[in-house]
């Protein structure tokens, strides 16, 4: 009985740590690709420790990881990549391009390795993500258009005329990713998750907030 209690406690602790590590994930790209890669590697290290402690590595994750390593090895072989190029994380460097090309697959692997969150923890995670998406759109719009803060001070700022030039007197927010269609589309996806899975009884509340954000976001694709 004590052993079973200890295992449950360990599972809860691991789940809490996983939740803590996932909460700031939407912001990590603001510090640059290199630092964000380090943070994702930290989450991978935690997931590996968790799986080593539990003794269960999902076969699907292992198969996909092997496939990625073989792919990266073949690309390096055919392109005759040198050791210097393997460490090059510049904008056109081999390491960074490989990281960007395989990131989606690494996220899939990561999700299968992390400890499963409880319903309460996953609801909390999605609620925070929704609030982040909403705030980075509406909050930035208020700061730039009503309070006169320069858009160049925004964390996701990029040198794009569609943003730094006003349209009908208003500036579009760079938001979380620096791209209005992407910001709006992710917010729409997050909204349906909130409406169908997290707080179904508050659907009108979330739909109204999202509609307001989409109007300020000013993206036809998101609409």
């Amino acid at each position: 009985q004590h052993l079973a209690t200890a295992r449950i406690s360990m599972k809860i602790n691991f789940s809490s740590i996983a939740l803590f590590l996932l909460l700031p994930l939407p912001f990590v790209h603001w510090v640059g690709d290199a630092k964000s890669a380090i943070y994702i590697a930290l989450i991978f290290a935690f997931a590996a420790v968790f799986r080593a402690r539990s003794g269960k590595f999902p076969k699907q994750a292992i198969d996909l990881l092997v496939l990625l390593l073989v792919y990266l090895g073949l690309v390096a072989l055919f392109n005759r990549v040198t050791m210097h190029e393997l460490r090059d994380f510049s904008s056109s460097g081999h390491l960074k391009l490989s990281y960007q090309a395989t990131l989606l697959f690494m996220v899939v692997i990561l999700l299968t390795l992390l400890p499963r969150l409880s319903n309460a923890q996953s609801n909390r995670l999605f609620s925070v993500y929704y609030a982040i998406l909403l705030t980075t759109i509406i909050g930035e719009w208020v700061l730039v258009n009503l309070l006169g803060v320069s858009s160049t001070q925004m964390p996701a700022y990029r040198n794009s005329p569609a943003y730094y030039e006003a349209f009908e007197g208003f500036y579009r927010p760079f938001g979380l990713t620096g791209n209005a269609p992407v910001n709006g589309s992710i917010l729409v996806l997050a909204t349906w998750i909130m409406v169908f899975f997290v707080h179904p009884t508050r659907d009108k509340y979330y739909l109204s907030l999202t509609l307001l954000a989409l109007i300020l976001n000013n993206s036809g694709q998101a609409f």
Side-chain angles (χ1 to χ4, degrees):
Q1 183 178 0
H2 290 298
L3 180 59
T5 304
R7 287 178 177 174
I8 293 174
S9 176
M10 182 183 73
K11 183 177 179 181
I12 293 174
N13 289 337
F14 273 121
S15 297
S16 299
I17 296 172
L19 177 63
F20 175 78
L21 290 174
L22 289 172
L23 284 174
L25 198 57
F27 297 112
V28 296
H29 64 285
W30 285 2
V31 298
D33 287 334
K35 292 180 180 178
S36 68
I38 293 173
Y39 187 79
I40 293 174
L42 173 65
I43 303 179
F44 260 106
F46 163 75
V49 169
F50 165 72
R51 288 298 171 180
R53 290 284 298 271
S54 65
K56 296 179 181 178
F57 280 87
K59 183 177 182 300
Q60 297 92 334
I62 295 175
D63 291 344
L64 184 54
L65 182 59
V66 171
L67 181 63
L68 284 181
L69 291 175
V70 171
Y71 163 75
L72 291 174
L74 290 175
V75 170
L77 179 64
F78 290 145
N79 287 281
R80 299 180 181 179
V81 178
T82 65
M83 289 302 297
H84 172 73
E85 290 172 329
L86 282 174
R87 298 190 298 268
D88 186 4
F89 208 82
S90 62
S91 58
S92 59
H94 177 81
L95 182 58
K96 183 171 181 178
L97 293 176
S98 299
Y99 169 71
Q100 292 175 334
T102 58
L103 184 57
L104 176 61
F105 300 99
M106 289 193 289
V107 169
V108 174
I109 295 173
L110 183 60
L111 291 177
T112 61
L113 292 178
L114 286 172
R116 186 179 296 275
L117 301 180
S118 67
N119 285 339
Q121 289 173 323
S122 61
N123 287 347
R124 191 179 313 139
L125 181 67
F126 283 126
S127 296
V128 171
Y129 282 175
Y130 177 83
I132 289 172
L133 289 163
L134 195 74
T135 303
T136 51
I137 293 174
I138 297 179
E140 182 179 331
W141 191 93
V142 170
L143 287 174
V144 174
N145 290 291
L146 299 184
L147 301 181
V149 178
S150 173
S151 61
T152 61
Q153 303 301 312
M154 299 300 115
Y157 170 80
R158 16 180 245 169
N159 189 17
S160 171
Y163 291 86
Y164 65 68
E165 292 181 355
F167 176 73
E168 295 183 352
F170 295 101
Y171 297 92
R172 286 205 298 178
F174 288 96
L176 186 65
T177 69
N179 185 294
V182 174
N183 292 331
S185 299
I186 296 176
L187 178 62
V188 170
L189 177 60
T191 302
W192 292 125
I193 292 175
M194 297 300 294
V195 167
F196 285 116
F197 300 105
V198 182
H199 292 297
T201 59
R202 305 186 66 189
D203 54 343
K204 292 183 177 61
Y205 170 77
Y206 288 106
L207 290 171
S208 299
L209 285 177
T210 298
L211 179 59
L212 172 62
L214 292 180
I215 291 172
L216 302 181
N217 188 58
N218 194 20
S219 166
Q221 178 175 311
F223 271 118

